[in-house]
Amino acid sequence: MLQIAPTWEARPWDDPSRMLCVDVARERILAAFAPLPAVRVPIIDGLGFVLATDVVAGTDIPPFANSAMDGFAVRAEDTLDSSDASPARLRVIGQAAAGYPSDVLLLPGTAVRIMTGATIPAGADAVVRFEETDEAGHGVTAGAGSDGTIGIMRPAKPWANIRPAGEDVRTGQRVLLAGSRLRPAEIGLLAALGRATVLVHRPPRVAVLATGDELVDPGVAPRPGQINNSNGASVAAMVRRSGGEPVMLGIARDTPEEVRDKLRAGADADFLITTGGVSVGDYDIVKDVLCDVGQIDFWQVRMKPGKPLAFGHIHGTPMLGLPGNPVAAAVAFEQFARPAILKLLGRTDLAIPTVLARLADRVENRGGRRHFARVRVDATVEGYVAHLSGAQGAGVLSSLAAANGLLVVPEDLPAGEVGMTLPVQMLDWEVG
Ligand code: AMP
Ligand code: MG
């Protein structure tokens, strides 16, 4: 059989055995991040953020026993032998509505007309629904019979239709744990406990700098040889989607001075992200300046796209240098920057939500790298099915726009074959 030497043998920097594995690179990067300090915010502003402390209930929920139905509060023993034919007849001695507790005491033979949410009057131990009484009209506005009595037509079980105090949450109970992400349900629970504010880890400020002599901002017409800076906007959008606050540092020309100056503007950020200028051939300028003002390593990561990567610290701030090719930058962001931002936010679930999908197209994977292919995943009755979403060049943004996932072809698999089941990172799924 004809052996074709892989091209990387001729280019030592492309030798997979000299590259860092994606997981090792991610671990090294994540080791440089820790959750940011806590801030107190109004509870609804905490949506999506992570609790910095446990929440211990200072009150019962519900705070008092209350009715789960509209009906009559009774003593269950008064209704023992009741039926349609011979209702238990009780004297109605008062009314209780939500927010208006009745202060009457239920003595044997009496009942209180009660609405959902109203405090159970003393002496009552069951609520009988209107439908199980002979009250005409069965409604909020209907009253007791003209003689001031109500007929109960079913025996009530003790505690029927009563929500006891603390049924949901008991005083002293640890209801939410530090590290939980606040969703609407957690925010509702905090409100039910009477909390107006909550302590969450503050969101990171993430400075974004694009490097490249060829770049001009969107809105500026490119001259010959120039292109619009797409990475600045897409990286900032990914920062925001991950829960960070992007700080735009603009574009730096490929000179040490400009890269250094622009990076200084991001010195008070929690995290610096650059794009471009890290591939073999052109990283030397950037490398020199970065090594001058901080400690930066330049890595080749065993992945495709997104192989060149830089990581280190500038002025004490962690800095990630993403590749310049727009899709390589996006894929590397998802693998390395997203979990770093989540860690700053206090999250512990750092992985991208992943499903198993059956491949409908063949995906080549020569070169022994982990291949992240842009795919469109559809949920079918047979499970998830993944189609390539278009051309897979590292600069082809339109196929990323057409994708909802990144299919992961392992390093040691020369191709993802049609019918194979492989993991897909779902880019638009939020984890709870
Ligand atoms: P580099 O990593 O700087 O060698 O860039 C690799 C490729 O990505 C080149 O074709 C660049 O023109 C392109 N590129 C770099 N930065 C950006 C950017 N911010 N927006 C769009 N394309 C870029
Ligand atoms: Mg460049």
Side-chain angles (χ1 to χ4, degrees):
M1 193 173 143
L2 179 65
Q3 290 283 320
I4 299 173
T7 48
W8 47 261
E9 276 186 4
R11 297 188 291 159
W13 57 85
D14 267 352
D15 177 351
S17 68
R18 297 186 189 194
M19 297 183 193
L20 268 190
C21 160
V22 176
D23 307 312
V24 173
R26 187 192 289 117
E27 259 170 50
R28 282 199 197 171
I29 290 168
L30 291 180
F33 293 88
L36 292 171
V39 284
R40 186 167 286 285
V41 296
I43 50 175
I44 61 166
D45 293 345
L47 180 67
F49 292 111
V50 177
L51 265 182
T53 56
D54 291 352
V55 173
V56 176
T59 170
D60 280 351
I61 307 176
F64 48 85
N66 67 92
S67 180
M69 292 287 173
D70 295 332
F72 286 87
V74 300
R75 300 161 63 98
E77 63 183 18
D78 286 350
T79 67
L80 283 182
D81 300 317
S82 59
S83 65
D84 286 350
S86 85
R89 191 136 298 279
L90 305 177
R91 193 157 55 82
V92 179
I93 57 167
Q95 302 232 24
Y100 299 97
S102 157
D103 54 7
V104 300
L105 171 65
L106 250 89
L107 297 171
T110 66
V112 163
R113 196 161 185 278
I114 195 165
M115 300 301 139
T116 304
T119 307
I120 301 296
D125 66 357
V127 170
V128 178
R129 297 182 297 141
F130 283 141
E131 293 86 331
E132 294 172 350
T133 70
D134 64 2
E135 179 181 275
H138 293 173
V140 175
T141 53
S146 52
D147 61 350
T149 68
I150 188 72
I152 307 292
M153 301 187 302
R154 301 273 179 287
K157 292 200 183 74
W159 308 111
N161 299 321
I162 292 180
R163 301 187 285 219
E167 175 187 58
D168 184 356
V169 171
R170 289 199 174 281
T171 305
Q173 191 181 326
R174 208 165 292 277
V175 269
L176 297 172
L177 297 180
S180 324
R181 182 162 178 269
L182 295 179
R183 301 168 306 162
E186 282 77 19
I187 289 171
L189 201 47
L190 288 165
L193 288 168
R195 309 287 181 97
T197 62
V198 63
L199 271 180
V200 293
H201 294 283
R202 75 169 173 80
R205 300 178 71 237
V206 183
V208 180
L209 176 67
T211 70
D213 283 346
E214 74 280 31
L215 303 176
V216 292
D217 277 322
V220 176
R223 290 198 305 273
Q226 294 184 325
I227 58 169
N228 285 123
N229 169 19
S230 64
N231 288 341
S234 69
V235 169
M238 288 186 285
V239 165
R240 188 170 290 171
R241 180 160 76 169
S242 308
E245 290 171 0
V247 178
M248 305 300 272
L249 300 186
I251 299 167
R253 309 285 138 214
D254 290 317
T255 68
E257 297 74 30
E258 200 160 332
V259 171
R260 193 176 46 224
D261 289 352
K262 295 265 160 109
L263 283 177
R264 197 169 288 133
D268 65 345
D270 302 298
F271 186 15
L272 277 166
I273 300 180
T274 63
T275 70
V278 290
S279 49
V280 176
D282 68 359
Y283 72 65
D284 278 344
I285 330 152
V286 183
K287 184 181 179 185
D288 290 346
V289 58
L290 294 183
C291 292
D292 253 18
V293 294
Q295 308 85 44
I296 297 287
D297 282 331
F298 286 79
W299 299 339
Q300 300 278 294
V301 182
R302 203 180 307 147
M303 65 188 282
K304 178 177 137 182
K307 181 180 58 172
L309 197 74
F311 182 69
H313 288 81
I314 296 282
H315 310 299
T317 306
M319 192 205 106
L320 181 66
L322 298 172
N325 273 307
V327 178
V331 170
F333 181 97
E334 297 291 352
Q335 309 312 311
F336 307 117
R338 177 185 181 277
I341 292 171
L342 295 189
K343 197 167 172 195
L344 288 167
L345 283 163
R347 296 267 293 264
T348 49
D349 49 336
L350 306 182
I352 303 176
T354 298
V355 300
L356 289 174
R358 200 163 43 76
L359 255 180
D361 293 311
R362 186 168 192 276
V363 185
E364 283 270 354
N365 190 32
R366 281 170 301 161
R369 293 191 266 157
R370 191 175 301 180
H371 185 175
F372 296 90
R374 281 146 268 173
V375 293
R376 175 90 224 159
V377 175
D378 295 311
T380 75
V381 283
E382 278 116 40
Y384 292 111
V385 175
H387 290 264
L388 287 177
S389 63
Q392 298 287 316
V396 181
L397 264 179
S398 53
S399 58
L400 185 60
N404 60 354
L406 294 175
L407 175 89
V408 185
V409 186
E411 292 82 341
D412 56 2
L413 194 67
E417 304 290 352
V418 173
M420 259 183 186
T421 297
L422 287 173
V424 179
Q425 299 178 341
M426 301 304 291
L427 296 175
D428 307 327
W429 284 14
E430 187 44 276
V431 278

